Structures are given as structure tokens and as C-alpha cells.
């Protein structure tokens, strides 16, 4: 069973940047597809970005050009670099490990989830 631990959240002013990290253990990381989701208060958990085992990346439209997902297989870690942050990016950000190569924008494609890290963007 995979364990995922996010870190790097915090409070930042609008226009600022944060880098989230997700350390994975318990499964062979190299061949797993990984994703980031976020959930704002009162909202559904939504897709942010995903990276496949082969390095292919996918982004939600509203994050394209601002967020970058990457992975370091040697460290069993996936990252989310977030630039030009907006107050509407305020949410709990979750890392997840997928069990499929398809529909990586869907929560149902993921089996293992981290506990989340809070990102707050002030205006």
C-alpha cells in the first residue's frame, strides 16, 4: 500500500509562488502515474495536474502556464511548482497515485491519497 505525504503549503501573497512536494513510499514509484488535486471550502475536489510514468504531463485549463508538475524518481517525489498564484487558488492540495493510464483528470482513477497541504493566497 502506498503512502503519500505532501509538504510545502503555506500562506503567500497574490502573484507569489510555492512548490509543493509529495513523497511516496510503499510502492514502486517509477512506474506509477501521479496527480495533484485541490479542494476549496465548500467545493468539489478538482483536478490540477498529472504526470505519467513516462513523463507526459496534463493540466487543468486554468492551471496551464502557471503550474508545473514534475517528478524525481530517484527521490520518489512528485512536485507541483505554482507561480502567479491567485486568491482563487486557495485550497487544500492533495497528491494522489493513479491505478490507470487513462482519465487522469478523474478522481476515480486514483487509489492512494495524501493527507493534503493547505495553500492560502492572500489578495
Amino acid at each position: 500500500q502506498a503512502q503519500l505525504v505532501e509538504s510545502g503549503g503555506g500562506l503567500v501573497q497574490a502573484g507569489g509562488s510555492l512548490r509543493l512536494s509529495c513523497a511516496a513510499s510503499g510502492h514502486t514509484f517509477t512506474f506509477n502515474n501521479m496527480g495533484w488535486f485541490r479542494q476549496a471550502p465548500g467545493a468539489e475536489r478538482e483536478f490540477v495536474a498529472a504526470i505519467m510514468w513516462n513523463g507526459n504531463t496534463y493540466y487543468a485549463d486554468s492551471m496551464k502556464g502557471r503550474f508545473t508538475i514534475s517528478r524525481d524518481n530517484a527521490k520518489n517525489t512528485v512536485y507541483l511548482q505554482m507561480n502567479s498564484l491567485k486568491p482563487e487558488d486557495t485550497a487544500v492540495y492533495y497528491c494522489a497515485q493513479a491505478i490507470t493510464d487513462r482519465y487522469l483528470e478523474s478522481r476515480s482513477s486514483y487509489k492512494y491519497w495524501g493527507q493534503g497541504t493547505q495553500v492560502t493566497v492572500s489578495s
Side-chain angles (χ1 to χ4, degrees):
Q1 182 166 342
Q3 290 83 43
L4 305 173
V5 179
E6 302 97 335
S7 61
L11 174 64
V12 63
Q13 289 188 330
S17 299
L18 282 175
R19 189 177 81 154
L20 306 183
S21 300
C22 171
S25 62
H27 269 191
T28 304
F29 178 78
T30 303
F31 303 110
N32 285 307
N33 302 322
M34 303 295 295
W36 286 97
F37 287 73
R38 69 184 186 185
Q39 187 167 17
E44 294 286 320
R45 192 171 297 188
E46 65 173 347
F47 171 73
V48 174
I51 185 165
M52 294 187 69
W53 60 272
N54 60 7
N56 287 350
T57 58
Y58 304 90
Y59 296 92
D61 287 343
S62 62
M63 287 69 162
K64 287 179 181 177
R66 298 193 301 126
F67 292 8
T68 302
I69 189 171
S70 61
R71 65 192 297 160
D72 185 337
N73 290 336
K75 296 182 178 180
N76 287 358
T77 300
V78 62
Y79 304 98
L80 185 68
Q81 177 67 44
M82 304 185 295
N83 299 328
S84 302
L85 283 163
K86 307 173 183 179
E88 51 264 43
D89 293 318
T90 294
V92 177
Y93 284 71
Y94 296 91
C95 171
Q97 182 173 301
I99 53 174
T100 178
D101 282 352
R102 304 176 67 186
Y103 309 115
L104 292 179
E105 73 282 3
S106 172
R107 287 176 294 172
S108 62
S109 296
Y110 297 82
K111 181 176 183 179
Y112 302 106
W113 295 81
Q115 83 289 348
T117 186
Q118 176 70 47
V119 171
T120 303
V121 184
S122 62
S123 57

